[in-house]
Amino acid sequence: MQQKDVLPMKPEPAEKRAAATAAPLNITGSEAVIRSLIAEGVETIFGYPGGAIMPIYDALYDFQKEVHHILVRHEQGATHAAQGYARTSGKTGVVFATSGPGATNLVTGLADAYMDSTPMVCITGQVAAHLLGTDAFQETDVIGITMPITKWNIQVTRPEDIPGAIAKAFYIAGSGRPGPVLVDITRNAQVAKFDFEYKKCDYIRSYRPVPKLDPEAVAAAAELINNARRPYIFCGHGVLLSGAEKELIQLAEKAGIPVASTLLGLSAVPVDHPQYVGYLGMHGNYAPNIMTNECDVLIAVGMRFDDRITGDVSQYVKQAKVIHIEIDAAEINKIIKADVAVHADAKTALEALLKLVKPAKHDEWLQGFREADKQEEEKVSKKELYPAEGGLKMAEVVRLISERTEGKAVLVTDVGQHQMIASRYYRFKDPNTNITSGGMGTMGFALPAAMGAKVGTPEKEVVAVIGDGCFQMTLQELGTIYQSEIGVKIVILNNNFLGMVRQWQQLFFDKRYSSTEMTNPDFVQIAKGFFIPGKKVTDRADITAAVDEMMSHKGAYLLEVVVEKEDNVFPMVPSGQPIANIRLE
Amino acid sequence: MQKEYTVTVYTEDRIGITNRICVIFTRRGINITSLTTAETEIPGVYKFIITVISEKEKLVKIVGQIERLIEIHRAFVHEEDEVVYQELALYKISTKALQNGNIELLIRENNARILTITEDYFVLEKTGHQQELIDLQAKLAPYGLIEYSKSGRVAIIKWSRRFHDHLKELEQQRPDNLKQATYSEHTEVSAEEESI
């Protein structure tokens, strides 16, 4: 069955959307939910109906032109899809789920979005208020469960509180350091009527999402940079979240500073930019890691010094003055003591910094990175990207995808070896084209996130690179891809192993491969069952044509590539060790 | 170094806020030794006074995590000499004990007072620092102490300005205002930071 590319939703004309919020209207709480979402500019919802949210779904039935609902196959899939959507479109992702198991299925996605600062609003149905606390059918304490993994959550038991709660939810989710928010609405509040009026929220007395820039801190940072001999920029997710890619590149160019990226910062700076030196962290590039302890001024922008970046903190960046530009005050001095803390939005801070930073060149310093690159190329990259013999390598598949899409496609990766390989070798061109689960490392993330990413940017190609283990965690979403005609390209890098765990078992557990080998199904047959065409490739001779075929195909396509069974990802900083101990083999 | 600290948190009045604050301590394996909460002089704003035994550095980070919560205005960690504080204890003692002249002296010496007397028991009240209250409990034990109940800490921060001045400022600065975070030490106070 032939599939079409998913079409972008055509939002209704502005006047019609405005009419949806015309006040006052005596309507049910459920209709108020939908009208509130429309007032917030929501066009897409990922969800799954059930008893406690049925009135909301009933109201949705009358707004099918205004709001596009995508029926997923599991609520976890809805959350990851909303994440993919949010990260490509820049809007807040929206999820519907019912009470009890529907709500508990959101937990992983909420935790993932919380760790990776993704704006998301989850609306859950709840049993009627008079049943709360009685262990009623499908009742669960979703507020208690999600408290530590949401930026904010609230339970609404009266219809008149719905518009205010949703307005606050969107304001909180999307402002400051973004994050997921959950609104739990009891069934009685969904069915009772009230006079609806919607006002967007832009102020909460106890919440200060936008810090006021401290000019003294910026001046102190500029002075450090102007006097630095070996300055070094770390580009984190915050750069993308605040849309500061341009300012970051301008700063790097003006002051001649090398830029390295965190996993979630990837795609903020084009890989081929002359100031870009690579990807940081446990399996990042050799040069950016090893040079961290060589710089004299470190400018960390919108990143939080995750342990996967720092390794042993006691031997990390001790020689340098650290400038930390960060919107979330709680992140400053959490792991690394900042000599200059700039508590601000990345874009605001970089704009101010640009004015004070003097033009400079640090060619010799930059050249040091290029020298270190050669070692990595010799010992690792060449063999990975252009192997002459043996089984197919993950890296060569990623290279072919990167070449075929010119690095312009949105790359969605799952978690494990394939994620690290794809992040290392895909040559990102445009911002927000790297969608992955960083902080949480959620297996099963990529397939649903790719659906959301495609819906968020229908004009772009979206390629999901997934491991065989990860794919089997959320493969039910193939059903969503088929039903909603979402044209994602799915590449399974199949090594019949939980590769990353196997690698650790090999290196640190005497090759005792405990429960990591997988006997896999025929993935192409599974895709066929969902009416998604596909192909399986085992030989090097067939891979280029297969990638071409996949990229030329209109609509969703699954390519299974059988890769080297026991391959390892290098370089590697062994867990908990200093970054100086980075291994190339 | 581990010692007792007082953490004060100014919050909006919202169901579940206690839970949200406690979870942050739980996650780092810190036991809350006492917790008192009540509305402040500003309607709708509550003050939590939490005592914990921990390290300063850890608590400064925790306070940052608490301040990140949406309904929190400010949070601080204080050394013992930065707050004026009291706790309250009630002691239920068998009335028979009053026949012993020593107990009257004990009550006077410890500035305790009798709240109520029945045929079977009487109730003493004393305010003071934790150790004083515990000491009195030990002294009363031989007289037939039936029940003992102690409150959490109530504290006034020595260097604080009235909190509602701060709130007023926030309201005036709307929308571009700032929770001026003090990064290194929440307890080192400069003139600018004196407004809570």
Side-chain angles (χ1 to χ4, degrees), chain B residues 9 28 51 62 103 107 109 116 120 130 158 172 175 179:
Chain B
V9 186
R28 290 179 179 253
T51 59
I62 282 182
I103 197 166
I107 292 166
E109 281 176 348
T116 183
D120 300 327
Q130 180 171 290
K158 287 179 182 175
Q172 279 162 6
K179 261 188 183 178

Side-chain angles (χ1 to χ4, degrees), chain A residues 153-293:
Chain A
N153 66 13
I154 190 167
Q155 185 170 69
V156 180
T157 56
R158 305 183 318 163
E160 55 268 40
D161 295 336
I162 287 172
I166 290 178
K168 266 177 107 172
F170 275 87
Y171 173 55
I172 291 167
S175 58
R177 178 180 182 175
V181 164
L182 184 137
V183 182
D184 192 40
I185 306 173
T186 56
R187 216 169 182 285
N188 59 297
Q190 294 173 37
V191 295
K193 285 190 167 183
F194 75 111
D195 288 342
F196 172 75
E197 190 184 359
Y198 195 79
K199 277 219 310 268
K200 273 193 162 195
C201 172
D202 65 351
Y203 180 72
I204 295 169
R205 189 169 67 164
S206 58
Y207 173 53
R208 309 272 153 254
V210 185
K212 197 170 164 189
L213 187 68
D214 175 2
E216 284 179 21
V218 177
E223 190 176 353
L224 278 180
I225 295 168
N226 289 335
N227 293 315
R229 291 176 53 233
R230 294 181 306 281
Y232 192 10
I233 295 173
F234 281 4
C235 164
H237 195 195
V239 172
L240 289 160
L241 288 168
S242 80
E245 309 87 4
K246 198 166 82 242
E247 289 76 8
L248 186 99
I249 292 168
Q250 283 173 341
L251 176 69
E253 288 173 348
K254 185 177 179 184
I257 310 174
V259 181
S261 175
T262 67
L263 174 64
L264 287 175
L266 286 171
S267 82
V269 181
V271 168
D272 56 7
H273 191 281
Q275 296 299 129
Y276 184 73
V277 294
Y279 154 51
L280 291 159
M282 185 178 270
H283 293 290
N285 295 113
Y286 181 66
N289 274 312
I290 206 82
M291 300 303 257
T292 302
N293 285 347

Side-chain angles (χ1 to χ4, degrees), chain A residues 126-141 155 186:
Chain A
Q126 180 57 283
V127 301
H130 75 278
L131 291 170
L132 287 170
T134 65
D135 300 327
F137 177 65
Q138 290 197 331
E139 187 209 350
T140 192
D141 177 11
Q155 185 170 69
T186 56

Side-chain angles (χ1 to χ4, degrees), chain A residues 152-153 205-206 328 343, chain B residues 14 20 68 70-71 183:
Chain A
W152 185 71
N153 66 13
R205 189 169 67 164
S206 58
D328 180 358
H343 178 209
Chain B
R14 166 83 205 281
R20 280 168 210 272
R68 190 155 67 171
I70 302 297
E71 286 95 356
Y183 297 114

Side-chain angles (χ1 to χ4, degrees), chain A residues 114 143-144 147-148 150-155 168 172 177 202-208 210-212 214 326 328-335 337 341-343, chain B residues 12 14-17 19-20 23 27-28 42-45 61 64-65 67-73 167 170-171 173-181 183-184:
Chain A
Y114 190 58
I143 293 297
M147 215 174 256
T150 49
K151 190 174 171 184
W152 185 71
N153 66 13
I154 190 167
Q155 185 170 69
K168 266 177 107 172
I172 291 167
R177 178 180 182 175
D202 65 351
Y203 180 72
I204 295 169
R205 189 169 67 164
S206 58
Y207 173 53
R208 309 272 153 254
V210 185
K212 197 170 164 189
D214 175 2
E326 172 59 55
D328 180 358
E331 292 297 348
I332 295 170
N333 295 329
K334 187 181 86 175
I335 307 290
K337 181 105 182 64
V342 184
H343 178 209
Chain B
E12 289 288 1
R14 166 83 205 281
I15 288 179
I17 202 76
N19 209 350
R20 280 168 210 272
V23 143
R27 194 176 160 195
R28 290 179 179 253
I42 307 128
V45 174
K61 287 177 186 176
Q65 306 271 350
E67 278 199 335
R68 190 155 67 171
L69 298 172
I70 302 297
E71 286 95 356
I72 304 289
H73 286 282
L167 266 188
L170 288 183
E171 296 290 354
Q173 291 169 23
R174 178 179 196 260
D176 182 19
N177 49 29
L178 166 68
K179 261 188 183 178
Q180 181 75 56
Y183 297 114
S184 51

